[in-house]
Amino acid sequence: MAAAAPGARLPSVRELTARHHASPVTVAEAIRQLVAQDLVEARPGRGTFVADRPATGDAPDLSWQTVALGARKPGEDEMQALLALPRPGAIPLTGGYLDADLQPTAALGAALARAARQPSAWQRGPAEGRDDLRAWFARETGSGLRADDMVICPGGQAALSSALRALASPGDTLLVESPTYLGALATARAAGLRVVPVPADHDGVRPDQLAAAFTRTGARLFYCQPLHANPTGATLAAHRRIQIADTVREAGAFVIEDDYARDLTIDGAAPAPLAAADPDGHVIYLRSLTKSAAPGLRIAAIGARGPAGARLRSARLLDDLYVSGPLQQATLELVTAPAWARHLRTLRIALRDRRDALLTALHRHLPDLVPQLIPRGGLHLWVQLPDGTDDVALATTAATEGVSVFPGRPWYAAEPPAPHLRLTYAASPPDRMDEAVRRLARSIR
């Protein structure tokens, strides 16, 4: 057909069947695919003809877009790398979501199927989200917020983006833990904010350094993950929680509490959110279900009191109007069913097994990389590399050895004090951890 002239008529299905000794179904499917590719044209009542080929000439000149678009927004490369899929055959020790084997997909699929069959789910609901789902998220804060304070969002990243744009203006300062969630850094920079890091250790952000940062910068916004912080796994210690709250209150500031790991505690009980002890509305509370359920469950909530809450609701209305009704209804059914509690119990055991398997493999093959802080929850280990190691180059070398890891450098808002790797234990089964670390050890050598 490549040599056929445009407009030439193709043989009939009967002729093609006889010529190629194929079934009529096969021939008809081949023609259908050629039509879909715009290579042939079906004319009802007349037959099938070779389609006109577009005139060939000079390649389109898209260079003008460089001037029209201007500079790229910062953070795009890092986010694309964070969401990149591992190479075929590689063992993933990176990523921010549960392995498919750990996701409650059967329960979620059944809930979504039931929701999709209900006509009311497809109608427009409240812009801020279903009342009953907002009430569930509010209860999860420990009575720190009411249902009317919450707004349903299509994922935690969307909620964070709305919060930064609603509560700050380009040129304002955002204080962050150092290191901190890469997605927060990228979103803040894209919003035109000046990001200032505040040192943190195994007990979370340091209150003295946070107070100094507020005084020096005049910032009115602080982003933190008090529970199983990504990437370090640190949890804000009990003796620091009151100090942090006092510091934020004295600065007349807000703290965005990203409670992404509420369902990912492995050892012991998780402390209450900071929002649970916030009578005066300094805490902006963000909670997502994506990490503890499945990447496709893009449901989160963000809550705040007073004028801050009103601004958040307005920002979400401008961004999305409202979140998918069937997805909200399926989410509510999922988290209020007994199967959800069973899933969380099973998940806790599975994450402990994977974390411990990764630690055992590090002890065996790379004992110098065993982290001092063993996280009590979350999805990651934060390992420090020998001084002088290029963590970005090491991650590239590891990929050629068949194991994917993520370098530590992008998680810092300023110069990193030492090279690190973030190793995720949620994306691979325990019996693959030893081989993964063996490959990483080869990369380091």
Side-chain angles (χ1 to χ4, degrees), residues 25-335:
V25 174
T26 301
V27 172
E29 175 61 20
I31 293 175
R32 188 192 66 79
Q33 292 187 19
L34 292 172
V35 171
Q37 298 172 31
D38 293 327
L39 296 176
V40 301
E41 177 185 0
R43 301 174 185 174
R46 299 179 57 190
T48 306
F49 299 82
V50 177
D52 291 335
R53 298 184 178 91
T56 59
D58 295 335
D61 181 7
L62 304 179
S63 62
W64 66 271
Q65 293 188 5
T66 301
V67 177
L69 292 172
R72 292 181 63 190
K73 291 186 177 181
E76 292 180 4
D77 292 339
E78 291 82 358
M79 288 298 291
Q80 290 177 4
L82 183 65
L83 296 175
L85 297 175
R87 297 180 180 181
I91 304 175
L93 293 182
T94 188
Y97 303 103
L98 298 178
D99 184 10
D101 292 341
L102 303 182
Q103 300 169 19
T105 50
L108 183 56
L112 188 57
R114 287 190 290 270
R117 290 194 296 267
Q118 299 185 28
S120 60
W122 294 97
Q123 304 307 309
R124 188 186 71 181
E128 61 272 18
R130 292 177 58 116
D131 294 343
D132 42 12
L133 184 57
R134 290 188 293 127
W136 182 87
F137 275 107
R139 289 193 298 271
E140 290 288 295
T141 69
S143 301
L145 294 166
R146 305 165 303 163
D148 290 345
D149 300 321
M150 310 300 295
V151 183
I152 304 301
C153 309
Q157 192 69 26
L160 177 58
S161 177
S162 294
L164 293 180
R165 287 185 290 102
L167 303 175
S169 300
D172 287 352
T173 297
L174 173 69
L175 304 183
V176 300
E177 299 165 297
S178 183
T180 193
Y181 171 47
L182 172 57
L185 295 177
T187 301
R189 288 164 175 159
L193 304 185
R194 173 173 172 256
V195 182
V196 174
V198 181
D201 55 27
H202 294 172
D203 287 333
V205 67
R206 292 178 50 182
D208 59 333
Q209 296 290 346
L210 180 63
F214 273 123
T215 299
R216 183 173 65 85
T217 65
R220 293 293 178 265
L221 196 57
F222 169 49
Y223 168 82
C224 73
Q225 295 179 326
L227 182 63
H228 314 318
N230 180 11
T232 65
T235 293
L236 185 62
H239 67 277
R240 289 187 177 179
R241 292 167 66 92
I242 295 178
Q243 293 176 279
I244 297 300
D246 289 344
T247 298
V248 171
R249 182 173 59 254
E250 290 169 5
F254 294 102
V255 53
I256 300 177
E257 178 182 12
D258 187 348
D259 202 19
Y260 86 100
R262 177 59 45 182
D263 298 321
L264 303 176
T265 296
I266 296 174
D267 301 321
L274 298 180
D278 174 46
D280 299 322
H282 288 276
V283 177
I284 311 297
Y285 182 75
L286 193 165
R287 170 83 181 276
S288 172
L289 294 173
T290 304
K291 301 294 187 184
S292 54
L297 187 63
R298 304 300 300 168
I299 288 290
I302 191 165
R305 292 177 172 176
R311 290 200 180 187
L312 284 173
R313 289 188 288 274
S314 296
R316 290 306 314 153
L317 179 63
L318 291 174
D319 283 347
D320 299 302
L321 297 183
Y322 47 84
V323 177
S324 163
L327 194 57
Q328 289 191 64
Q329 185 165 330
T331 300
L332 180 67
E333 180 175 331
L334 177 72
V335 298

Side-chain angles (χ1 to χ4, degrees), residues 414-426:
E415 297 81 2
H420 288 80
L421 291 179
R422 192 194 73 164
L423 304 181
T424 300
Y425 49 80

Side-chain angles (χ1 to χ4, degrees), residues 8-28 31 46-48:
R9 182 173 181 172
L10 269 64
S12 67
V13 171
R14 180 178 298 176
E15 291 178 67
L16 291 171
T17 298
R19 181 184 303 177
H20 297 286
H21 305 287
S23 72
V25 174
T26 301
V27 172
I31 293 175
R46 299 179 57 190
T48 306

Side-chain angles (χ1 to χ4, degrees), residues 347-399:
L347 178 60
R348 180 173 181 150
I349 296 170
L351 289 179
R352 181 186 295 119
D353 290 344
R354 293 177 183 226
R355 180 200 62 184
D356 294 350
L358 180 54
L359 286 168
T360 298
L362 288 172
H363 277 288
R364 179 177 297 125
H365 302 295
L366 292 169
D368 292 341
L369 265 60
V370 175
Q372 294 181 352
L373 172 64
I374 308 301
R376 297 173 52 243
L379 304 174
H380 318 288
L381 296 182
W382 185 242
V383 302
Q384 183 170 337
L385 299 168
D387 290 341
T389 304
D390 187 332
D391 53 349
V392 176
L394 175 57
T396 302
T397 303

